[in-house]
Amino acid sequence: MSMIAVSELLKGLIILNLLLSPLTLCLTFYIAIMGGSNPDSPGFLRSFGITTGFIYGTPIGLLVWLIAMGKLFDLIFQIAPIVHPSVSCLSIFIAAVLFVIVGNVFIDHLYQLKQGNYMISIVALLMILLYTITLYFSAKIPIPWLAM
C-alpha cells in the first residue's frame, strides 16, 4: 500500500504557501479593500480578517481533515498503525470522498444531487485530490533553508 508521510504534506503546504504568497497577499488585500470600500461594509479590518481566514484557513482545514480522517481509515482498515507518521493513499482518497459528501449534506443540503447535478461533486473531489497531489510534489521542491 502506498503511503504518504504527514511531514511531506506539511512541508508541501509550507512550500506552496511560500511560493504563492505574492499572489495570495495581493488577492487578500484586493478582496479586503473591495469589501471594505462598500458603504454598508463593516470595515477594512473585518473584511481583511474574513478574507485571510478563508484564503489561509481553508487549505489548512482541508489538510487537517484529510490527515485526521486518513489516519482514522488507516486504523479502521488496519493499513497502518495510528502511531505510524504516514497516511495511505487509499485513506486520503476515502477522506476526500467523505469531505465531498459532508459538504453536500451540510452545506448544500443535497440540493445539487437531488437536481441530478453530479458534476459539481466530481469537480470538488478532483480539486481536493489535485490539491493533495500538489502538496506532495511541492514538498519535493528543494529549498535549502527550509529543512524538515
Side-chain angles (χ1 to χ4, degrees):
M1 184 68 47
S2 181
M3 305 289 280
I4 299 175
V6 173
S7 62
E8 288 288 314
L9 293 174
L10 295 175
K11 182 179 176 184
L13 179 69
I14 291 170
I15 290 174
L16 189 63
N17 277 336
L18 285 174
L19 293 176
L20 294 178
S21 62
L23 176 67
T24 56
L25 286 173
C26 288
L27 183 66
T28 301
F29 281 112
Y30 175 75
I31 293 172
I33 289 170
M34 294 304 285
S37 65
N38 185 358
D40 296 328
S41 74
F44 171 76
L45 287 179
R46 184 162 179 200
S47 297
F48 180 74
I50 291 169
T51 305
T52 304
F54 182 75
I55 288 178
Y56 294 106
T58 302
I60 293 170
L62 177 60
L63 183 62
V64 167
W65 170 277
L66 291 175
I67 291 172
M69 289 292 118
K71 290 303 288 180
L72 180 68
F73 287 123
D74 278 347
L75 182 68
I76 291 171
F77 297 135
Q78 297 178 353
I79 297 171
I82 196 79
V83 295
H84 197 268
S86 61
V87 183
S88 69
C89 293
L90 175 66
S91 295
I92 288 178
F93 179 76
I94 294 171
V97 170
L98 185 64
F99 188 81
V100 171
I101 291 171
V102 166
N104 280 327
V105 170
F106 289 109
I107 295 173
D108 197 31
H109 304 293
L110 299 176
Y111 177 77
Q112 296 297 330
L113 294 177
K114 289 176 186 173
Q115 300 297 320
N117 298 331
Y118 304 108
M119 198 59 177
I120 293 173
S121 297
I122 293 170
V123 167
L125 179 63
L126 291 176
M127 286 173 60
I128 292 170
L129 295 176
L130 181 66
Y131 169 70
T132 308
I133 292 168
T134 303
L135 287 183
Y136 177 74
F137 284 109
S138 293
K140 305 293 183 194
I141 298 172
I143 297 180
W145 50 269
L146 183 65
M148 286 180 107

